[in-house]
Amino acid sequence: MAPRRSGGAGPRRKSAERRVRRTGMKSAVEAAKEAVEQLVALTGRESEGVVGVERSEDGWIVTVEIVETHRIPDSADILACYRVELDSDGDLTGYHRTHRYARGQVDGRHR
């Protein structure tokens, strides 16, 4: 009879814990906040929100939606998505705009 596994961290959980220890930022929420703060400081534009967060080998990749042009009415605003790359300490290492669109435009191109 094979020994019964006790509860606790399996191989997948231990691997995730090692990655968290390796990166200075502990959570996707922290990465998202840092990305928004730094992108807003660089562009001088207002953030509409975070539309994506993923861990990379060296840190985090966060997709942030920015209001590029305010118009009246608000439904005519021009928005853009930016891909923001952060290192393991949460410092911005690069960013670029992936696309622009009118508010309310639905085309499924968010990356």
Side-chain angles (χ1 to χ4, degrees):
M1 185 187 243
R4 186 176 166 170
R5 276 182 126 177
S6 62
R12 290 183 113 176
R13 183 175 175 111
K14 286 180 183 175
S15 174
E17 288 171 358
R18 271 188 238 122
R19 279 196 309 264
V20 168
R21 275 189 237 118
R22 186 183 76 222
T23 59
M25 303 191 71
K26 294 182 178 84
S27 73
V29 172
E30 290 174 327
K33 287 178 182 178
E34 282 296 322
V36 168
E37 182 179 304
Q38 293 179 56
L39 185 62
V40 166
L42 283 169
T43 63
R45 295 185 171 129
E46 144 188 357
S47 167
E48 191 71 9
V50 172
V51 295
V53 179
E54 63 185 274
R55 191 180 293 277
S56 69
E57 279 188 34
D58 301 325
W60 294 91
I61 297 170
V62 182
T63 304
V64 180
E65 192 173 52
I66 294 286
V67 179
E68 292 226 325
T69 305
H70 282 287
R71 294 196 172 152
I72 298 175
D74 289 346
S75 60
D77 287 351
I78 301 297
L79 305 177
C81 280
Y82 284 80
R83 176 184 166 107
V84 180
E85 298 173 20
L86 303 175
D87 66 14
S88 61
D89 294 324
D91 295 322
L92 189 141
T93 59
Y95 76 96
H96 68 275
R97 182 174 61 205
T98 59
H99 64 284
R100 289 171 48 128
Y101 50 95
R103 185 185 296 277
Q105 178 181 343
V106 180
D107 67 357
R109 288 186 350 152
H110 288 286
R111 298 177 208 167

